[in-house]
Amino acid sequence: PTTAIILIIPVIHIMSSNIKVMLIEDHAGYRETVTSALEQTADMELAGSFGTAEVALRSLQPPSEIAPDIVLLDLKLPGMQGLEMIRWILDYAPTAEIIVLTQSDKDTQVRRALNEGASGYLLKSSTLNQILDGIRNVVSGGSALTPEIARYLMNQLRNQPAVQTIGKALSERETEVLILLS
């Protein structure tokens, strides 16, 4: 007689959590369009949708239950502007990544937004798929840039003077003499 051994291996289903997205956009029609796209996307959920920076910041203040992974932020808002808001968002929601979603492609605004801590800069001329892909890129450790902004940044890097390096390090004796002179 043969004996059969049956192994029961439990199947563990690991649920990946959805990307929580907060939208801060004052134009109601555009806000509704992006909100609808987020709500229809299987791997994303809307953490909040706001027309002003002040109301959005109040929703993030402790003890907030809103913990967005991504904040889509328009720069031109009534009251507090988007560029001013970036630091506040990072203070209240330090794990959130910010993607600027605006009409402005002004060099100074792009540079300032990225210097303040934004992880992406998309123009409103982007398609909904480009916005959703940008969100996924940022969540996975990349960035989100429209081709126009990427080109601008590449030109900025190209036009920077090359960093000059010293051809040879100082010898031990040269270092000793410099220390004694100082």
Side-chain angles (χ1 to χ4, degrees):
T2 60
T3 306
I5 299 175
I6 300 174
L7 295 175
I8 299 175
I9 302 172
V11 176
I12 300 172
H13 178 67
I14 299 174
M15 260 182 101
S16 62
S17 61
N18 287 342
I19 301 168
K20 295 180 191 115
V21 182
M22 174 185 278
L23 175 62
I24 306 167
E25 165 62 52
D26 65 320
H27 187 273
Y30 191 77
R31 186 173 61 240
E32 288 172 19
T33 300
V34 175
T35 296
S36 177
L38 291 169
E39 289 174 341
Q40 294 175 25
T41 303
D43 62 338
M44 295 182 198
E45 69 181 72
L46 188 65
S49 179
F50 304 95
T52 67
E54 292 81 3
V55 174
L57 285 176
R58 274 195 297 274
S59 75
L60 288 172
Q61 289 177 347
S64 174
E65 302 213 3
I66 296 178
D69 300 308
I70 295 287
V71 176
L72 293 177
L73 175 64
D74 187 14
L75 292 184
K76 194 166 178 100
L77 296 166
M80 181 187 287
Q81 296 295 299
L83 286 172
E84 300 169 52
M85 191 174 174
I86 292 173
R87 284 190 191 165
W88 288 102
I89 293 170
L90 295 174
D91 281 349
Y92 292 141
T95 61
E97 300 281 350
I98 300 169
I99 299 174
V100 170
L101 182 59
T102 189
Q103 290 180 338
S104 175
D105 63 353
K106 290 182 182 176
D107 300 350
T108 55
Q109 289 187 325
V110 172
R111 187 176 298 135
R112 183 168 169 210
L114 296 175
N115 285 339
E116 293 287 332
S119 299
Y121 200 104
L122 298 174
L123 298 178
K124 287 185 180 177
S125 58
S126 302
T127 66
L128 288 171
N129 283 336
Q130 289 171 325
I131 294 169
L132 298 174
D133 288 343
I135 291 169
R136 290 181 189 103
N137 286 338
V138 169
V139 166
S140 63
S143 66
L145 299 171
T146 57
E148 301 89 351
I149 301 302
R151 171 67 69 183
Y152 160 73
L153 293 173
M154 285 178 59
N155 288 336
Q156 290 295 306
L157 290 172
R158 242 185 238 132
N159 294 331
Q160 285 183 351
V163 177
Q164 294 182 351
T165 57
I166 298 174
K168 177 180 145 187
L170 297 176
S171 70
E172 193 175 308
R173 180 65 181 150
E174 289 169 329
T175 303
E176 185 180 324
V177 169
L178 280 175
I179 291 170
L180 290 172
L181 283 173
S182 67

